[in-house]
Amino acid sequence: MAAITRSTAFLALAAAVLAVLAGGTTAQQLSPTFYSTTCPKLSTIVRSAMAVAVRKEKRMGASILRMFFHDCFVNLASSYVCSVLTFIYHVLPPGRQGCDGSILLDDTPSFTGEKGAGPNFMSVRGYEVIDTIKTQVEASCNATVSCADILALAARDGVNLLGGPTWSVPLGRKDSRTASQGDANTNLPGPGSSLATLITMFGNKNLTARDMTALSGAHTIGRAQCQFFRSRVYTERNINATFAKQRRRGCPKSGNDTLVSPFDVQTADVFDNAYYQNLVAQEGLLHSDQELFNGGSQDALVKMYSNNGAQFFADFVAAMVKMGNLMPSSGTPTEVRLNCRKVN
């Protein structure tokens, strides 16, 4: 009888927790007009702030774009559920975080966030730009616009301000109430990834190999740290000799790990299709870059993008919208944060 009572209580607790979690959010329907009445000046505020940031430092456009990518790509298992009851993990599927502003959260006593993860530490930058935009948005429409949506708009505007395409950003995201350094470490593709790994990791997010190759074109702007391309420029053979020699000058065999070099030297701060032209010339900076043009399945697509910037822009926009639709799973607690660095 005691065993039955404990089992019944166990199931009751599980059901109660599930009920709470299920009520934590409603399905998020994204629309470009989501804030048209509640915050009509939103797009203008974000665009103006990004224009100031990019004018001050052109690299910031690439930094915010990278931040958005790193936010969307992190999936969190329902560890908070497991900490209450291991049993529930088998009842409630792992939660998918997606584009939820979790990367913006500072560490707390209850979780270690994504900022200190290997792919992000001393690498992802521009948090203060998002803070500035959030302050301005709050002054215009308090407690209305999520940090996740601000980041999505800022990424779009950063691309466009550097000469890239623009697009209608679907809006209506909510902000995560938690983050996980461990999940950031395991979900984000690394600079040494093979083509097969890249295709698999993007496929896990319901993004195709074509989406992956188009999104990789974000490397037409921005920089990489020496520690991430050192091995390529010193040891790999599928690399233009002159290009490798030039990059070694700013990246010694040891030390100076955080010195940065542009992905595309010729047009480092212009969003164009030069990235693909560089790959065809065996001038991809990272190992993972050159994997897209190395005798594999993406060679033909890379060649097409290298010759057709308009097609690259079109595919990049489609892939960005698709990636931006990665949403927290139903039942994941979310909110509209008043401060992007901490939960309410």
Side-chain angles (χ1 to χ4, degrees), residues 25 39 46 57 86 111 122 140 158 177 211 324 342:
T25 59
C39 195
V46 176
E57 182 190 7
T86 302
F111 65 79
M122 295 184 67
S140 179
R177 290 181 52 81
D211 294 329
K342 61 183 182 180

Side-chain angles (χ1 to χ4, degrees), residues 39 42 45-46 133-142 145 150:
C39 195
L42 173 62
I45 293 170
V46 176
I133 298 173
K134 178 63 170 175
T135 298
Q136 294 176 5
V137 170
E138 286 297 308
S140 179
C141 37
N142 179 250
V145 181
I150 287 172

Side-chain angles (χ1 to χ4, degrees), residues 240-262:
N240 179 282
T242 301
F243 171 79
K245 183 177 180 180
Q246 291 171 342
R247 296 311 174 90
R248 289 173 194 155
R249 292 172 186 164
C251 185
K253 286 187 176 181
S254 62
N256 295 324
D257 285 356
T258 58
L259 287 178
V260 296
S261 180

